Every structure is written in C-alpha cells, then in structure tokens.
Amino acid sequence: MGRLGWGAHFGGLAARLEGAFGADGVFAHDRLRFVDFADDVEELLEEVARRERGDEEAADGFEEYVLRHYGG
C-alpha cells in the first residue's frame, strides 16, 4: 500500500486487526471468526475508498468475494 501512496491510511490497520493471526502467520480461528475478519477488512477498505474517491462502494463485494473463495 505504501508504494501506491496509501500507506498513511493504514497506520492503525495492524492495531485494528490485532489477534487475527498467530505468531506463525496463520489465521487464528480460535480467537476470531473468519467471517468477522472479512467484514472488518471490508469496513477498513470502505473507509479508504471514502477518503480517496469519496465513494465507499469501490470496496463493495470484498467480503462476499473473500468468503466465497477462502471461507471454506
């Protein structure tokens, strides 16, 4: 994101998603439901889209796409 010039928008991203992944980088299913994680990420992307383009709809469909492809 930094290379795209969007790094400033993600300063608090790690803190907002803290606990989603273990020290080994694997998603922590025992601490957070994947559905909730995908929803949180979509909200963060909508926030960035609202700031950058004035329209959060640029991020619409993210959660559905992720759950369809990776939700198991």
Side-chain angles (χ1 to χ4, degrees):
M1 291 295 172
R3 284 186 264 158
L4 294 172
W6 292 6
H9 296 293
F10 294 96
L13 179 62
R16 289 180 69 181
L17 298 176
E18 185 176 348
F21 296 91
D24 57 1
V26 175
F27 184 77
H29 291 279
D30 60 329
R31 288 183 258 164
L32 181 67
R33 293 180 336 147
F34 188 73
V35 172
D36 295 333
F37 171 76
D39 183 53
D40 289 346
V41 172
E42 182 177 56
E43 287 179 22
L44 290 169
L45 291 174
E46 287 173 347
E47 192 176 303
V48 170
R50 194 172 23 257
R51 283 190 223 156
E52 288 295 315
R53 301 190 178 202
D55 182 11
E56 69 182 42
E57 291 186 21
D60 276 355
F62 172 82
E63 180 181 3
E64 181 182 325
Y65 175 85
V66 168
L67 293 176
R68 192 171 0 135
H69 287 84
Y70 304 106

